[in-house]
Structure formats: structure tokens, C-alpha cells
Amino acid sequence: MYTLTGWDYVIIVLMLMFSAALGIVFAWRSRRSQSSSEYFLGDRGMSVFPVAMSLTATFISAITYLGTPAEVYVHGPKYGLMATLRLVFPLAILYWVIPVYYRLEITTVYEYLEMRFNNTVRFLVIGAEFLGGFTYMGIVVYAPALALSTVTGISLTFSILAIGVICTFYTTIGGIKAVIWTDVFQGTAMFVGATIMIIAGTILIGGPAEGWRRAGVGQRTNLVDFNIDPTVRLSFWTIYLGGTSFLLMIGGTKQSFVQRYLACKSLKDAQLAAYLGLIGTSVMELLAVATGMTIYAYYYTCDPVKSGEIDRADQIVPYFMMDVFHSFPGIPGLLIAGAFCASLSSMSSVLNSIASMTGEDIIKTRWPDISDRRYAITVKLVSVVFGMFTIALAFLASVLGDVLQTALSIGGLTGGPTLGVFIIGLFFPRGNSAGATAGFISGTVVGLFFYIGSQIHPPTGHRPPLSTEGCDAFAGNDTTVFSSALPTSVEHTAHSNKIPK
């Protein structure tokens, strides 16, 4: 197993320090303001570019940065069809959803539920969002930390504490402005990291044409599957039906997204930022798919999982980082910093949104006359407590394992019923609180039924083969892939001249 060098750690630490520094900067700038509008919405004065970048970074977690390429590596590029949804379906959010929230001048999306229905519906959905939010934060901190620790040698404890403490620090002191501008930096780091992996891998395998040829050999050139069997892992119908609902739920009902729309200077800016942010998400997902296909082409006759180099497919991206770039001090650190940034951006967005829910939907509801100063101190303390709880949850995951993943899945079950409640409120004038409550509860029960069924009868479908027939060619060879100059032909690349075609 390759290990990180001192330069790699320097780059990771500098990235963490820069993120913390941004929090200090925005805390200093807003030191005279104690309003909730400033802390949670940036005084509704954010411009399009940073909000759009923040929306993209919020959506692209470390699970996407590391997990989507692993999904594509194992199952092929069908997941890439998800990216096409963002070209059309965001229009529903732009023109039907955002105007309602923006004109109401609310701080949290759940205030709308009380206006439209009642407190029961509001707090029912808030409870579900707390469950989903905390389990999601625990996963986006723990999962990449585990994958990185098992492949790169970087300490699991260091990863969890670094992400959790730094994220809690700048989110707490800097508010939404710090979160949004760190998202800009972190989103850029993710983009650079993915691009480096794609370009380097493509050069090493001999170009895109050779990569596609190897994908064909490995039965990974089928981009769309029109099979109507609902148990098939990824078909056109499951992606477009499920993906559309998922996109509308995330972009139209999640506080971490709606909060950014409401932080914009105008409705027009909010709509433009939302569209550009979702397009940016599409770009990042396509990059993740391309990364997975590139890594497959690189290892297409010597799968590291089957050969015993790594334990699970979700370790394939950090393994590729170290395998390809270990002789270039600093480059693995830059790529791993991208994974850290993905975790930081997702955790900070959800942490700030949960703090806003606690402040606006609970504290101000219980104590409506609380002073601005006391309220500001309280919500910052809430952010600290929630951040520490997330760190504890991430450590707990190392003991509970699949239990936490199950909790995340169960928390996600409420997303569909939550979307249903908002659809009733936005599009059905005769819908009432009793119907919304009954629909939410019954929808959650039905979702739980299908979730249990999916565990008993997991998705079927043909899994493309993974090969180890070329692994003997690696025995005794140095897998350093770059010499002092880039190879001039495919025959001069390490894996291309060692793996039979």
C-alpha cells in the first residue's frame, strides 16, 4: 500500500486552513450584525455565481466524488443518464417552486408548511429532516474517511476530526456567507481533482478511443437500458422516474437548497443561480462517470478487487490516485483534498440548514421575543453541538457499520412523502392539513415496505465482468506510470504495455 508524503499532508492541511480562514473573514465582516437574516441568508444579498457554485458543491458530496466512479467501474456508465435530467426538469423548480418561497420572504422552507397547513405538518416534516440530515452528515464524513484510510494510510481519526472540526468551526462563526464562499473554493477543488484523474488516466490508456474500446471489451458501452422490469438496477425508467422525483425533492423541498435561493438579491437571480447550480451538478456527475470509465479502462484486465489489492470497489478511486500519482509528491494530496472538500461542502450546507431549522422553526416559535444577540449566540451554540454530534455519529459508524447505512436509507424514505406534502401545498388548493398528514405517514409506511422488500429481493440485472487475466503481467513490475516526460504512445505507458490487449 502506498502512503502519503509530507507534501501531500501539507496540501491537505493548507486546504483545511483556507476553509477555516474564510470562516474567520466572514465572521469579522459581519461582527456588527446579529440578525438571523445575515447569519442564515446573507441579508438576501448574494450574487448568482457563488450561489450557483454552492448549490453544485452542496449536491456533490464525497459519496459522489468517490462513490459514483466506483458505481460506474463496477456496473458501467448507465448512471450518467441522471445528468440529462438537469437540462429540463429544473424548470419546474425555477418557475413553480422558487417564486412561491421567494415572495413569502421566509427563512426556512418549513415556514411555508405552517402557512399552508399547520404546525403539525410543519414539525412532522422537520422531524423527518432532522433524521435524514444527521444520518446523511454522518455518512458523508465517515464513508470517504474509511475509504481513504484503508488505501492511502491516512488516519481514519484524523480524517473524521479534520472534516468535522474545521467544518463546524467555519460554519458556526461565518454563517451562510462563509458556507457559500467555501463551497466555491471546495467545488473548484473537486472539479480540478476529477479533471486531473480523467486527463492522466486517458493519456495512460492511449486516448479516449482506446478507453472506449476497452469498455466495449468489458461490456460497458450500453448507455441506456429500456427494460421495464422495476428490479433492474439502472434502467431508463427507474432513472427518469426515480431521478425526477429525487431532483424535485432535493431542489424543491430541502432547506440546504432553498436557503440558497432565498439568499439571492432578486427572484431572477435565484432562478438563474438554481439553474446554473443544477447544470453544474450535471457537469460534475458526468465527470464522475468519466472518471469511473477511465479507471475501468486502466484496470480492465487486472481488477484490484479480485486481485486482492483492495477489499471493496468503493476504494477504487483512492487506490487509483495512489497507484498513478504516488511518485509525484503533492498530487495525491491534491486529489484527496478534493474528497475532503466534497465532505466539507455537504456537511457545512446541511449543518447550517439544520441550525436554521432549529433557530427559526423551533427556538423562535417557542420564544418569539428572544433578542437578536441572544438568538445569535444560541444558534451558534446549536451549530457547535450539532457539529460535535455529527463527529460522534461518524465515529459510531465505524462500530455500527451497516446499521448506520440502514438508518440513512430509512431517513431517505421520508424524502418522497415530504415531496408529496409540498406538491399538495403548491398545486392542490383543496388539499388540507389532515390529508397532508395522512399522506406523509402512509407514504413513509409504503416506502418502508418497498425498502424492506429491496433488501429481501435485491436489484437484479447483468453485471459486466471484471477480469484478472492480465494481473500476471504486473508481477515484479513498478507501477509508476509517469516518467520525467509524458509517454508519446500507448506502448510506452506502464499498464498499456503490461496488460495484453
Side-chain angles (χ1 to χ4, degrees), residues 195-259:
T195 302
I196 288 174
M197 287 188 284
I198 293 169
I199 291 175
T202 301
I203 292 173
L204 293 169
I205 62 178
E210 174 62 15
W212 190 249
R213 185 194 71 80
R214 296 183 182 189
V217 173
Q219 301 176 27
R220 283 168 169 78
T221 54
N222 183 13
L223 301 178
V224 184
D225 185 351
F226 289 98
N227 193 329
I228 62 173
D229 183 354
T231 64
V232 171
R233 184 179 181 85
L234 289 174
S235 70
F236 173 87
W237 311 107
T238 55
I239 290 175
Y240 261 71
L241 293 177
T244 299
S245 299
F246 178 74
L247 179 60
L248 293 175
M249 182 268 293
I250 292 290
T253 72
K254 291 294 183 181
Q255 172 65 8
S256 55
F257 279 72
V258 175
Q259 189 176 1

Side-chain angles (χ1 to χ4, degrees), residues 373-423:
R373 178 177 175 78
R374 180 171 293 183
Y375 178 74
I377 294 173
T378 302
V379 294
K380 288 179 181 179
L381 288 175
V382 166
S383 294
V384 172
V385 171
F386 286 171
M388 295 302 101
F389 181 72
T390 299
I391 294 172
L393 193 61
F395 278 116
L396 186 63
S398 64
V399 179
L400 297 181
D402 290 340
V403 174
L404 185 58
Q405 183 64 52
T406 300
L408 176 61
S409 300
I410 294 175
L413 291 174
T414 60
T418 296
L419 176 61
V421 169
F422 278 92
I423 288 175

Side-chain angles (χ1 to χ4, degrees), residues 9 49 181 192 253 308 357 373 406 416 447 480:
Y9 281 104
F49 172 73
W181 279 105
V192 170
T253 72
M357 290 159 53
R373 178 177 175 78
T406 300
T480 301

